[in-house]
Amino acid sequence: MTQPDVASLPAAADLPSVMAESLFPAIIESSNDAILSKTLDGVITSWNPAATRIFGYSAEEMLGQSVLCLFPAERLGEETLILQKIARGERVDSFETVRLHKSGRPISVSVTVSPVRNAAGRIVGASKIARDITAEIDNYRQLDQFRSLVTSSFDAILTKDMKGIVRSWNPACERIFGYTAAEMVGQPIQTLIPPERLYEEQAILARIQAGERIKPLETERLRKGGERIHVSITLSPLHDAKGRIIGASKIVRDITERHRSEQRMRLMDSVFSHTTEAIVVTDERGTIIEINDAFLAITGYERHEVIGRDPSLFRSGRQGPEVYRAMLSTLLDTGHCQGEVWSRKKTGEAYAVMLTVSAVPNPGGGALRYVALFSDITSLREQQEKLERLASYDTLTELPNRLLFSDRLRQALVHALRQKHTVAVAYLDLDGFKAVNDRWGHDAGDELLVTLARRMQSVFRVSDTLARIGGDEFAVVLVDVGTAGQCETLLNRILGICAEPVSLQGTYVSVSASIGVTLFPQDNGDADQLVRHADQAMYQAKQLGKNRFQLFDPASDAAARVRARRLTEFSRAMRDQELVLHYQPKVNMRTGEVVGLEALIRWAHPERGLLPPAEFLPLIENHALIEAVGEWVIETALTQLQTWNAQGLRVNMGINIAPQHLKAENFVHDLLAQLAVFPLVDPEQLELEIVESSSIEDPELVMDVIARCQRHGLQFALDDFGTGYSSLTYLKQLKVNSLKIDQSFVRDMLVDAEDMAIVQGVISLANAFGKSVVAEGVESRDVGCRLLALGCELAQGFGISKPLPADEVPGWIERWSMRDSWALLSAQEGAPLA
Ligand code: C2E
Ligand code: MG
Ligand code: MG
């Protein structure tokens, strides 16, 4: 068989002869599959062109040759098995296997083997159709690998069409974006894009469409739920079979973590280079490995001068090595240390720094790093000192201020107690300083203060303290003042200095000073009290005429304090209605008639009982309270009088009027207004008891008051007559209705001839001036009888009645009226009256 003649194939014998003749050889010739036949021994009997194409051997090379040259060594047994099966007439299914190309390259083939029979139908060989499936197999293999790659990829891999609709979605997509493939495939990719980045997506699609290559980009995307993630995206176009772009595939990597740490790093980096604190990083042996810009700015060094050096380079030498040793040991113990140290700049200048050193683990896991932070606190220190100065000194005069003064004073007191010295505290206020300020302006005023401060300062010893307390006020502590004389000399010098003219703006201006002084421990107060006392004394010096000094007197101060306390207490008593009026009857000793009652004030003190007026009236004598008390007395007496009048008890009422009250501007007006409130009271029932001293300062005024009151029917009595001037001029001027002989004369008139003479004189005077006369303090019948004999019929006194509470008065009057008159009883001299 030298021809690849299909007619020679035994199989053709089964086909209709026309087919076998014309069609089969053509099919075999043009087939893409290798078609060959072989004997049962494996010798090739036909070989078509496709077999040549697939296996590389020509028909000449293969016809009559063993088929085994096509078999890879490990598959040689396959041929024997197949041929045995064929020989036995068994069916052989198509199978895929590997054969060798002439070049030795393996070829994947799909093989179909069928028996070849001779005309007698006996199997004489086999035909074989082999299809080259190498490319196909490779494709499949690649596809498989690709699929598993996509499935197991850590990155999200997805495809989308040109409308942005998602077409595929791998498991990593689900992990990164949170959506399942079912949720996303067929949905627009926009879901994943933050609104402000939608333009980005459109631009990219346009560029892909235009065939541009897109560089990987980093951007933000949205996870399901809205959380933002950072991603890097690599895009490639997707083509269809004809090479048209139909979409894009995307590989998306979640770089959120990396992004975050990058941000952090960037921040750290910027902190490192922008902070105003110097930062030095050393390795574990202390060699400098990194520094920041602030470090260079503060120290003045260049970077290359410091890297690789030891920090001891910066020591100023101002502090001993023990300071650094202590810090180092804390650092080693606790991993941290802090302190103020003096460092040195490149110029050699020393400066103060606040230094903090921390040991930090190396992020790479290696040895420790030390990070030192420091800032230049030199200006802070200076600022602090300035502030301290400001807090203790007056900026204008540069003298200590009040704060430092108090401090020095306290120290001086402690010292004085220990050393048994005397300390003088002086308070000085300039006289006429305000006028200088007003006339020459504040600058001139300031200049004056500065000049005087300097002059005064020159007089004191260093141990003394002159301070400016404020405005034009100064204070001085003089320690160990020695004798009072020495102190006086010094103070006089100060007065002299202050009074010396000061040249201001071309003219001379002079002021003076008023000084108050107190001496410790004679004045045994604390620092604050001493200053207050000196201030009080200064005030007195001003009142006494200025340009002088005044010594504080602890005793008078104590009295003033007691007075102040008592005044407060008395005001409270008035408010709490502790004042009461008692009434002392005034009778006609001859007729027995009760001619009137004198209202006498008492203080029903909650603890001390009923207090007589001598206990509290002197306290308020020169105080506004005296008028308030007077008004209360008038109102209370009128109320009482109205009540008694209404009860049919008609008596006259004597009311004592204090001089100050009598002379008060609205006295008459207020009194008349009060009378108007009590219509049942007849003004003639009232007798105002005044004392001579009322009229001394302004007789005209008092005369006018009396006259105006008398015009309204009011009566006047001159009380305590004989104790004051008993001036005849006054007696003439003051048109009072009666005189009251003071009890001090009446009491002893029987034993004291002079008192008797006075009593007689007053009675005569009263008669001569046409006034009635009343004896006060009649304590016995004898005195009463003697007065009657002298022509004085009216009397008051314990011998008749003590002052009585209002509710006892009507009863007393009733009992008294039932008595016989004094005249009838006068025979029994010596017996008590009541
Ligand atoms: P005065 O106006 O001369 O009143 C008479 C004082 O002599 C009263 O003292 C009275 O209790 C006291 N007295 C009366 N009879 C006797 C007696 O036989 N023996 C003794 N030893 N004393 C007698 P009192 O109440 O202590 O008042 C003293 C002074 O206080 C009064 O002297 C008067 O000047 C003043 N006073 C009393 N009440 C008021 C008042 O309401 N206003 C004002 N401004 N002064 C008053
Ligand atoms: Mg009186
Ligand atoms: Mg009197």
Side-chain angles (χ1 to χ4, degrees):
M1 253 192 352
T2 56
Q3 290 279 325
D5 185 4
V6 285
S8 65
L9 286 176
D14 297 337
L15 294 167
S17 56
V18 63
M19 293 283 276
E21 300 281 325
S22 57
L23 200 53
F24 267 3
I27 290 174
I28 289 169
E29 275 308 295
S30 61
S31 170
N32 280 323
D33 297 337
I35 302 173
L36 54 110
S37 52
K38 52 190 176 185
T39 63
L40 287 176
D41 305 330
V43 175
I44 296 197
T45 53
S46 75
W47 188 259
N48 75 344
T52 301
R53 228 172 19 248
I54 291 170
F55 297 109
Y57 295 100
S58 64
E60 292 79 46
E61 284 176 300
M62 288 307 286
L63 289 174
Q65 295 299 317
S66 166
V67 79
L68 286 179
C69 67
L70 300 177
F71 282 73
E74 70 276 10
R75 293 192 186 266
L76 285 172
E78 220 176 61
E79 174 66 2
T80 322
L81 276 175
I82 292 169
L83 287 177
Q84 282 171 359
K85 273 190 168 182
I86 292 288
R88 284 199 297 272
E90 287 171 26
R91 231 183 91 83
V92 177
D93 290 334
S94 301
F95 60 94
E96 285 175 12
T97 183
V98 177
R99 295 292 177 261
L100 293 177
H101 185 264
K102 185 181 176 185
S103 66
R105 165 169 60 86
I107 305 164
S108 296
V109 285
S110 148
V111 181
T112 310
V113 187
S114 328
V116 175
R117 300 171 191 270
N118 60 12
R122 200 168 57 86
I123 294 171
V124 291
S127 73
K128 195 176 184 178
I129 302 173
R131 172 168 294 175
D132 183 354
I133 55 167
T134 309
E136 209 172 315
I137 289 284
D138 280 355
N139 264 345
Y140 276 123
R141 199 174 290 137
Q142 266 170 18
L143 210 63
D144 260 7
Q145 275 172 1
F146 182 68
R147 197 168 289 136
S148 79
L149 205 67
V150 168
T151 310
S152 63
S153 166
F154 197 73
D155 294 332
I157 299 173
L158 60 99
T159 54
K160 58 179 181 185
D161 62 22
M162 288 311 285
K163 290 199 197 83
I165 302 297
V166 174
R167 291 298 170 199
S168 70
W169 190 256
N170 78 341
C173 280
E174 183 174 338
R175 195 169 39 72
I176 291 174
F177 293 108
Y179 296 99
T180 61
E183 283 173 309
M184 275 312 288
V185 172
Q187 295 303 313
I189 191 109
Q190 268 88 325
T191 321
L192 309 176
I193 303 172
E196 78 276 7
R197 293 197 178 272
L198 282 172
Y199 75 93
E200 207 177 80
E201 176 67 11
Q202 280 149 11
I204 288 171
L205 279 176
R207 287 171 59 196
I208 288 177
Q209 183 83 69
E212 260 180 67
R213 250 182 68 89
I214 309 290
K215 275 192 267 170
L217 71 150
E218 288 187 3
T219 182
E220 274 181 317
R221 288 294 178 258
L222 299 176
R223 257 178 76 80
K224 186 177 184 177
E227 186 196 338
R228 274 172 192 255
I229 51 174
H230 281 268
V231 293
S232 78
I233 300 180
T234 312
L235 282 148
S236 350
L238 283 180
H239 300 97
D240 67 2
K242 292 181 181 142
R244 283 177 308 204
I245 294 170
I246 52 159
S249 71
K250 263 184 180 180
I251 303 177
V252 183
R253 176 165 294 179
D254 184 352
I255 56 164
T256 308
E257 237 352 277
R258 194 190 83 203
H259 186 82
R260 253 185 227 142
S261 64
E262 272 174 9
Q263 290 282 95
R264 233 179 353 251
M265 281 306 291
R266 226 168 283 146
L267 185 71
M268 298 307 290
D269 221 49
S270 124
V271 168
F272 187 77
S273 50
H274 289 107
T275 179
T276 52
E277 263 190 309
I279 304 176
V280 181
V281 184
T282 75
D283 65 16
E284 61 175 346
R285 286 187 310 280
T287 306
I288 297 175
I289 53 175
E290 190 55 276
I291 45 163
N292 69 346
D293 293 347
F295 175 90
L296 301 175
I298 291 176
T299 62
Y301 280 103
E302 301 280 338
R303 199 181 155 76
H304 65 87
E305 294 172 309
V306 229
I307 298 289
R309 301 290 299 270
D310 186 288
S312 62
L313 176 66
F314 315 119
R315 289 186 188 174
S316 69
R318 276 212 193 181
Q319 290 153 311
E322 67 282 352
V323 175
Y324 302 98
R325 260 206 297 277
M327 283 185 76
L328 185 64
S329 112
T330 322
L331 177 61
L332 294 177
D333 287 352
T334 65
H336 187 86
C337 70
Q338 190 176 42
E340 262 188 58
V341 295
W342 280 94
S343 207
R344 198 169 54 83
K345 301 191 178 182
K346 188 181 174 184
T347 56
E349 182 194 340
Y351 65 110
V353 300
M354 172 55 80
L355 177 68
T356 310
V357 188
S358 308
V360 290
N362 189 342
L368 279 183
R369 296 268 185 265
Y370 292 103
V371 178
L373 274 87
F374 66 84
S375 48
D376 184 350
I377 57 165
T378 313
S379 65
L380 196 78
R381 275 276 193 80
E382 284 166 3
Q383 191 70 14
Q384 220 164 24
E385 275 166 25
K386 208 159 116 192
L387 278 178
E388 271 161 26
R389 221 189 134 65
L390 269 181
S392 323
Y393 286 86
D394 169 44
T395 38
L396 178 67
T397 59
E398 293 181 348
L399 293 177
N401 64 8
R402 184 187 286 272
L403 206 74
L404 184 55
F405 176 81
S406 303
D407 218 49
R408 298 261 177 93
L409 175 55
R410 264 183 272 275
Q411 284 170 21
L413 297 183
V414 173
H415 190 71
L417 278 181
R418 217 181 294 132
Q419 307 287 317
K420 305 220 176 335
H421 286 161
T422 298
V423 169
V425 180
Y427 206 96
L428 184 151
D429 186 287
L430 296 181
D431 309 320
F433 178 72
K434 189 178 171 307
V436 174
N437 252 347
D438 291 348
R439 170 128 190 245
W440 305 97
H442 286 269
D443 288 347
D446 285 354
E447 207 178 319
L448 179 77
L449 289 174
V450 172
T451 308
L452 292 184
R454 215 174 27 237
R455 282 188 195 166
M456 285 194 277
Q457 186 77 298
S458 68
V459 177
F460 298 115
R461 296 162 299 175
V462 271
S463 49
D464 299 335
T465 301
L466 170 67
R468 181 167 175 229
I469 298 301
D472 59 347
E473 293 175 19
F474 297 84
V476 193
V477 195
L478 303 169
V479 294
D480 189 12
V481 286
T483 65
Q486 283 170 325
C487 185
E488 260 180 47
T489 313
L490 187 64
L491 293 172
N492 277 321
R493 266 188 79 187
I494 299 283
L495 287 174
I497 278 178
C498 290
E500 267 173 40
V502 174
S503 147
L504 284 185
Q505 300 167 354
T507 94
Y508 282 92
V509 174
S510 50
V511 292
S512 61
S514 295
I515 307 177
V517 196
T518 191
L519 298 173
F520 176 86
Q522 289 89 317
D523 177 3
N524 201 6
D526 60 24
D528 288 346
Q529 282 169 334
L530 292 174
V531 173
R532 223 170 24 245
H533 290 166
D535 187 18
Q536 274 172 32
M538 184 276 289
Y539 187 70
Q540 279 172 16
K542 288 246 185 218
Q543 286 191 317
L544 291 170
K546 305 178 178 170
N547 191 23
R548 69 189 61 220
F549 66 83
Q550 177 69 30
L551 189 68
F552 174 78
D553 177 5
S556 76
D557 181 63
R561 274 208 300 277
V562 170
R563 191 177 126 80
R565 205 171 47 240
R566 288 179 59 201
L567 274 172
T568 318
E569 152 95 289
F570 183 77
S571 309
R572 183 203 54 76
M574 267 189 85
R575 253 197 336 272
D576 295 354
Q577 299 182 325
E578 287 174 12
L579 300 182
V580 285
L581 286 184
H582 280 193
Y583 302 90
Q584 187 179 39
K586 183 165 74 175
V587 300
N588 185 316
M589 294 183 289
R590 196 175 50 80
T591 63
E593 187 192 352
V594 178
V595 293
L597 299 160
E598 180 178 4
L600 295 163
I601 194 168
R602 270 100 187 86
W603 175 358
H605 195 284
E607 282 145 28
R608 295 163 65 202
L610 205 61
L611 303 178
E615 287 272 352
F616 55 91
L617 286 188
L619 175 69
I620 59 169
E621 229 160 42
N622 293 311
H623 195 278
L625 270 175
I626 192 75
E627 289 177 38
V629 169
E631 278 161 20
W632 175 85
V633 169
I634 291 172
E635 189 191 339
T636 310
L638 286 174
T639 310
Q640 190 58 62
L641 207 51
Q642 165 134 314
T643 309
W644 282 331
N645 280 351
Q647 291 170 358
L649 182 66
R650 197 183 158 89
V651 282
N652 290 345
M653 177 85 75
I655 298 177
N656 295 284
I657 306 293
Q660 202 186 333
H661 189 198
L662 183 72
K663 290 184 283 186
E665 206 181 318
N666 293 323
F667 175 74
V668 180
H669 173 268
D670 291 350
L671 179 63
L672 296 177
Q674 278 287 1
L675 275 167
V677 178
F678 298 96
L680 290 187
V681 175
D682 181 352
E684 283 176 21
Q685 285 183 282
L686 281 194
E687 184 175 58
L688 306 184
E689 299 190 6
I690 62 171
V691 288
E692 212 181 0
S693 61
S694 304
S695 69
I696 289 174
E697 272 175 28
D698 195 349
E700 306 282 326
L701 172 72
V702 175
M703 280 160 62
D704 179 56
V705 168
I706 293 172
R708 282 162 63 202
C709 288
Q710 282 174 335
R711 248 178 271 141
H712 286 88
L714 289 150
Q715 307 283 307
F716 277 86
L718 201 52
D719 209 349
D720 303 343
F721 196 74
T723 54
Y725 297 94
S726 305
S727 146
L728 295 182
T729 316
Y730 288 147
L731 194 59
K732 193 181 143 202
Q733 286 174 345
L734 302 176
K735 306 272 187 249
V736 294
N737 307 84
S738 60
L739 298 182
K740 294 185 84 171
I741 311 172
D742 192 69
Q743 51 166 299
S744 58
F745 309 120
V746 175
R747 193 173 50 222
D748 297 328
M749 62 183 262
L750 295 183
V751 290
D752 188 322
E754 285 175 359
D755 283 353
M756 176 59 101
I758 291 173
V759 170
Q760 279 177 318
V762 175
I763 293 171
S764 312
L765 264 176
N767 284 337
F769 280 88
K771 302 176 191 302
S772 60
V773 63
V774 183
E776 286 186 313
V778 176
E779 294 185 351
S780 72
R781 205 173 280 261
D782 293 351
V783 171
C785 288
R786 196 54 178 273
L787 285 166
L788 269 178
L790 290 172
C792 174
E793 296 182 347
L794 306 177
Q796 262 176 266
F798 296 169
I800 300 160
S801 170
K802 293 206 164 181
L804 303 167
D807 56 351
E808 290 179 21
V809 170
W812 183 89
I813 293 179
E814 209 172 308
R815 281 198 304 280
W816 175 262
S817 308
M818 291 190 299
R819 305 266 172 91
D820 295 326
S821 76
W822 184 276
L824 294 175
L825 291 170
S826 61
Q828 310 164 355
E829 272 184 37
L833 251 70

